Amino acid sequence: MLNIVLVEPEIPNNTGNIGRLCVGTESRLHLIHPFGFVINDKNLKRSGLDYWIHLDVTEYQNIAEWMTQIQDKSRVFLMSSHAEKSIYEANFQDGDWLVFGKESVGLSKEVLAQFENHLTIPMSTLIRSYNIANSVAFVVGEAKRQINLR
């Protein structure tokens, strides 16, 4: 099972879509406060539809609380549009942590400095980044593909 981590998510529709993706791919969702919305926000539920009740989700008050759950920091992959290594160069395993930053600014330098594995999703130079829900889908799809090949 993959662990999908959203650090300070801001847009409820994105979080709802990612929650639905997690249910469909049997992944766990980890949400790190503060949020830009209330967790029972109607848009969150609209995007996640009636799947939200099936979601394996855990909330953390901050990064430090979440980090107590990590047994092997080498299995934590932080997504950044500034990273040099592509998601297609990583070797994903069951149980990996895939970490995504908030929609407006991504992951902070402080968070990035705590882990070695920084990955990017290849994209055209015409855009700065993908929508976070699309980004999660790209990375989870690649990770699941690799895991299922073994």
Side-chain angles (χ1 to χ4, degrees), residues 4-105:
I4 310 307
V5 182
L6 302 183
V7 178
E8 301 179 6
E10 300 170 311
I11 301 173
N13 295 32
N14 288 334
T15 303
N17 284 325
I18 293 164
R20 185 176 180 174
L21 177 74
C22 286
V23 172
T25 60
E26 298 179 325
S27 300
R28 288 186 183 103
L29 182 60
H30 303 266
L31 301 173
I32 301 175
H33 284 268
F35 304 156
F37 54 89
V38 177
I39 199 70
N40 63 2
D41 186 286
K42 66 179 180 177
N43 292 325
L44 176 74
K45 292 195 176 182
R46 183 181 306 133
S47 300
L49 297 172
D50 54 347
Y51 303 107
W52 198 259
I53 61 169
H54 303 291
L55 180 62
D56 183 349
V57 61
T58 304
E59 293 181 41
Y60 305 91
Q61 291 308 304
N62 52 49
I63 292 286
E65 182 183 357
W66 164 67
M67 286 182 64
T68 66
Q69 304 302 305
I70 301 167
Q71 295 179 5
D72 181 356
K73 287 178 84 171
S74 73
R75 302 313 314 164
V76 178
F77 297 89
L78 283 68
M79 304 306 143
S80 170
S81 60
H82 304 292
E84 294 182 17
K85 186 174 180 180
S86 163
I87 62 169
Y88 303 112
E89 298 173 74
N91 291 309
F92 296 111
Q93 299 175 13
D94 196 30
D96 281 351
W97 298 85
L98 309 176
V99 184
F100 300 82
K102 62 173 131 181
E103 290 90 340
S104 62
V105 294

